[in-house]
Amino acid sequence: MQSDEELQYLRDFQKGEHRAVEILVDEYYPALLNFLLRMGCPPGDVDDIIQETFIKAARGLYRYQHRHRFRIWLFKICHNSLRDYYKKASRRREIPQDPETMPGAETGHPESIVIEKEQALRVQAALNRLPPKQRLAVVLRYYHGFSIKEIAQMVHCPVGTVKSRLNGALSNLKSFLQEGDVL
Amino acid sequence: MNSNRDSEKEIIEFLMSYPESVPSQAEKARTVIKVQREIRKNRATRMNSMDILFVLLLLAAALFLSFFIALPEFLAEQILQHYYQLQYSHLIVLFFVLSGLITTPLLLTLLPSNKGGNH
């Protein structure tokens, strides 16, 4: 459920009022950015997909049901935009992955940046090896803190299915770690 | 049991070692400008289609009224009775008027130009 203040922001956002757009972008941009990167989206395209997500959200806000959290709804739109992006990319026969521009702290000691980027590459490699549905469940659950019920609402499937996807993902990741492929 | 929990913990720790990306202010500002422009553009188009719809409805109403004011004997009911000799022509006219009254608000709700106001 939203507070009155949040509902007012959403209404203003729908009208395209600068302050409301700024507040929502400020609040959700980092989460969407990390979600897309962890889902294997190339960093060069992340900005476009996030912009598309916000535009689609503003256009479809009348359809938004307040019984779900706005964050869940926005992530759902973002995931759909990512799927559309992959469809378009596969039609253009592009390979959506650029390991040279993986996430990592942009500030700090150069040595720590290298270590963080290497670690990001390892984790991303492991995530990329997971089937897409398992990857989505892992990213939403462990990185963005959504509950299993919320993930089920987002992907339109029973709670049990989400649980089995998470268990499958964890056992897959365990075997990747044991193989030493990602370490 | 414990080893399972330990390995799960190890996997989660491994996942959590993925560093968070922090977007720059410039990226956010670019997104704000682009999103705001697109929303405004979209709203402007919607306003235009609503304006056109209202003008059309107004025009139809004006024509309808002027027609009957100029020629009062030209009532729909009389025309139907004259040409088709229908016994219940007034009911037919009433049916059209009522169905129009019911369907018009429904159509107006369904029109894409009317989306977005109330939620």
Side-chain angles (χ1 to χ4, degrees):
Chain A
M1 277 292 160
Q2 264 74 44
S3 66
D4 287 346
E5 196 185 17
E6 255 181 318
L7 287 176
Q8 189 54 50
Y9 279 135
L10 293 181
R11 278 188 208 111
D12 292 345
F13 171 66
Q14 200 177 20
K15 289 177 200 159
E17 282 180 20
H18 185 79
R19 186 80 191 117
V21 177
E22 204 176 45
I23 286 169
L24 284 179
V25 168
D26 208 46
E27 194 176 335
Y28 294 107
Y29 193 103
L32 295 178
L33 169 78
N34 283 294
F35 169 70
L36 289 169
L37 291 173
R38 284 156 186 164
M39 286 302 292
C41 179
D45 294 323
V46 162
D47 216 24
D48 287 344
I49 299 174
I50 295 176
Q51 284 171 7
E52 205 181 306
T53 302
F54 280 113
I55 294 162
K56 278 183 187 170
R59 278 185 195 153
L61 209 53
Y62 67 91
R63 273 196 304 256
Y64 165 57
Q65 292 165 328
H66 295 269
R67 67 172 183 269
H68 299 318
R69 280 198 295 159
F70 179 71
R71 193 163 166 258
I72 300 175
W73 188 68
L74 197 67
F75 266 77
K76 200 169 150 182
I77 296 174
C78 188
H79 180 237
N80 288 339
S81 302
L82 181 66
R83 270 203 314 217
D84 293 345
Y85 162 80
Y86 276 124
K87 271 184 210 159
K88 280 180 202 163
S90 70
R91 273 202 294 268
R92 292 197 302 258
R93 291 167 189 241
E94 284 173 8
I95 304 149
Q97 194 60 47
D98 182 6
E100 288 304 307
T101 46
M102 290 302 292
E106 297 302 324
T107 54
H109 201 271
E111 209 172 298
S112 71
I113 292 172
V114 171
I115 294 166
E116 282 191 343
K117 282 207 172 182
E118 274 176 12
Q119 189 56 24
L121 276 171
R122 284 193 201 103
V123 182
Q124 189 63 62
L127 287 172
N128 286 350
R129 285 181 70 186
L130 290 175
K133 285 175 182 173
Q134 285 186 3
R135 194 196 311 175
L136 178 66
V138 164
V139 170
L140 292 173
R141 180 82 186 102
Y142 297 111
Y143 291 113
H144 298 281
F146 286 106
S147 69
I148 292 171
K149 201 178 157 194
E150 286 172 333
I151 300 170
Q153 281 171 359
M154 218 185 286
V155 296
H156 293 296
C157 72
V159 168
T161 310
V162 178
K163 278 184 189 167
S164 87
R165 280 177 193 169
L166 280 170
N167 287 334
L170 289 181
S171 73
N172 278 337
L173 286 168
K174 189 180 167 185
S175 62
F176 299 159
L177 284 169
Q178 279 166 352
E179 282 168 22
D181 283 5
V182 291
L183 283 171
Chain B
M1 194 71 175
N2 268 347
S3 70
N4 264 355
R5 214 174 293 151
D6 285 345
S7 68
E8 197 181 314
K9 207 177 145 193
E10 194 189 339
I11 293 160
I12 294 167
E13 269 173 18
F14 168 70
L15 288 172
M16 290 304 142
S17 65
Y18 195 124
E20 283 268 323
S21 278
V22 182
S24 66
Q25 284 302 319
E27 281 174 316
K28 285 200 248 179
R30 215 171 36 232
T31 302
V32 169
I33 293 165
K34 176 99 187 277
V35 171
Q36 197 184 9
R37 200 174 52 215
E38 286 295 320
I39 295 171
R40 293 228 165 131
K41 205 161 79 183
N42 188 250
R43 282 181 70 83
T45 324
R46 199 165 62 207
M47 289 293 277
N48 284 343
S49 56
M50 276 193 77
D51 289 346
I52 293 165
L53 185 79
F54 273 107
V55 167
L56 284 175
L57 282 174
L58 205 70
L59 204 68
L63 275 170
F64 185 80
L65 286 172
S66 61
F67 186 73
F68 287 112
I69 289 163
L71 300 159
E73 71 278 10
F74 249 69
L75 284 170
E77 190 187 330
Q78 282 178 8
I79 298 164
L80 279 172
Q81 212 153 19
H82 178 78
Y83 285 102
Y84 302 104
Q85 283 87 41
L86 293 172
Q87 198 183 349
Y88 301 106
S89 53
H90 63 287
L91 286 177
I92 294 167
V93 173
L94 196 68
F95 169 77
F96 279 109
V97 171
L98 284 176
S99 56
L101 281 173
I102 293 163
T103 52
T104 308
L106 283 175
L107 282 172
L108 284 173
T109 321
L110 292 172
L111 273 172
S113 60
N114 239 19
K115 299 284 186 205
N118 193 17
H119 54 269

